Structures are given as structure tokens and as C-alpha cells.
Amino acid sequence: MQIPNAFYLIIDLEATCSNDGSVPRHEMEIIEIGAVLQNARTFEIESEFQTFVRPVRHPRLTAFCTGLTSITQEQVDAAPTFPEALQAMRKWMDGFEDALFCSWGDYDRFQFLQDCQDHGVAYPFLTGHLNLKEAFSKSLNTRRRFGVDGALRKLGLELEGTHHRALDDARNIARIVRAVAGAA
């Protein structure tokens, strides 16, 4: 059997947010990109990428956002802009452009599309998108949608790292993929 994509590019994002409407959904911006390159045959993580991103629309993080993500104002103030961060990610992806872009749900894909449009840069993924949240539910033959932490619990796995931190979440998603594939 031939696997069409030799690697899964599992990406998780954190974005500006609020619980009081001060950061509307259409104005949210990526503030952290975490990615793992997972071998589609062995399910081992072959490479990782992480960067913070400096927001421009709402440059001051809300207390809600900082509390949810543990990302500090100092981290985003010192971070590259979205186009610079995207260029660094593209450099990291060099040679793996055929990796299948995967994320837990469609949020990350839509946020990437929005930020690319807002900054006038090309969308970086050429291979389509796999919604792993949906695929996980299908693998369990249920309509219920699980968050990352719920999927880990369902599989009897502990959350590793800090939830709502992009690289830690990407690593945990890769663990879910590995477990569902029976490679754990």
C-alpha cells in the first residue's frame, strides 16, 4: 500500500483572543505557531518548529489570552511579524512541501488563511488539509467531537506539556495520531 504523503505536518496555533468581545473573531491573529513533522509510516516525529508571532491589530494581549495560553506580552513583543514567521516556517519545511497539513479541527486552517490574506502573503500549504478532530471521531464511529485533552483521555493518555501552547499541542496531536494508527 502506498501512502500518498510520506509526512504529516501537524500544526497548532495560538491566537489573540478575549472573553469580552474586545478581540472579534475576524480580528484574531496568530501569536504562536507550533508544528511537528510526523512520519506517516513510522509515526515518529522527525522535526519540530515553534515561533511566536507579533500581532499588529491587537498588539496588547488580553489578560484572558495570557491566562489561557501562558504566552506573555514580552514574548510576542520580541517576536517576528507574521510574514517573517511564515518565512521561517517555510524554510523549516523546505524539502517537505508534500507533507499533508493536519490540524485538530478547521480553526487552524481558517486562521492561517485569514492571516495570509490580512498580511498579503501566499498560503503556504499545497497539499490540502486533514481535519484530525473529525478523523478521530470517525475512527471511533461517533458524532461526538473531542478536544485534544478529551481525545487523549479517551485513549488513556496523559496530556504532556502545557495545553494551549502550540508546540505542546502539536506534539500531543501527533501522539493521538500514533495511538489511533496502532503504532503506540
Side-chain angles (χ1 to χ4, degrees):
M1 178 175 123
Q2 183 179 356
I3 299 173
N5 301 89
F7 292 93
Y8 300 126
L9 178 62
I10 300 173
I11 294 183
D12 188 77
L13 305 174
E14 302 306 327
T16 55
C17 57
S18 67
N19 60 347
D20 63 1
S22 62
V23 180
R25 170 69 191 99
H26 66 279
E27 293 182 7
M28 291 171 65
E29 298 171 86
I30 296 169
I31 56 172
E32 185 183 21
I33 302 169
V36 299
L37 194 62
Q38 185 177 41
N39 187 302
R41 291 173 180 82
T42 67
F43 298 96
E44 294 297 321
I45 292 176
E46 306 251 338
S47 185
E48 298 180 338
F49 175 83
Q50 186 277 339
T51 187
F52 293 109
V53 181
R54 185 172 358 116
V56 293
R57 260 196 177 142
H58 296 276
R60 298 293 310 163
L61 299 181
T62 64
F64 173 79
C65 185
T66 298
L68 178 69
T69 66
S70 77
I71 296 170
T72 67
Q73 188 65 50
E74 294 76 21
Q75 288 169 315
V76 296
D77 285 347
T81 63
F82 178 75
E84 294 166 334
L86 190 58
Q87 183 59 33
M89 189 183 81
R90 282 188 169 127
K91 184 176 179 184
W92 169 75
M93 289 171 48
D94 190 39
F96 297 98
E97 291 84 2
D98 66 337
L100 179 61
F101 171 31
C102 306
S103 65
W104 199 259
D106 278 329
Y107 163 78
D108 303 87
R109 179 172 64 91
F110 288 128
Q111 191 64 52
F112 253 112
L113 287 165
Q114 178 176 301
D115 281 42
C116 285
Q117 181 178 358
D118 290 348
H119 291 273
V121 296
Y123 182 70
F125 309 111
L126 309 174
T127 60
H129 176 259
L130 176 59
N131 178 334
L132 292 170
K133 179 189 273 191
E134 187 176 284
F136 180 75
S137 293
K138 283 182 182 176
S139 76
L140 297 179
N141 198 27
T142 181
R143 295 177 72 171
R144 181 174 174 211
R145 297 293 189 249
F146 295 82
V148 171
D149 54 342
L152 288 166
R153 281 194 307 273
K154 183 78 172 165
L155 295 168
L157 300 172
E158 294 286 323
L159 178 74
E160 292 180 358
T162 303
H163 194 33
H164 296 299
R165 285 305 301 272
L167 183 55
D168 287 343
D169 283 349
R171 288 172 178 155
N172 280 305
I173 294 165
R175 291 174 59 224
I176 294 167
V177 170
R178 182 180 175 90
V180 170

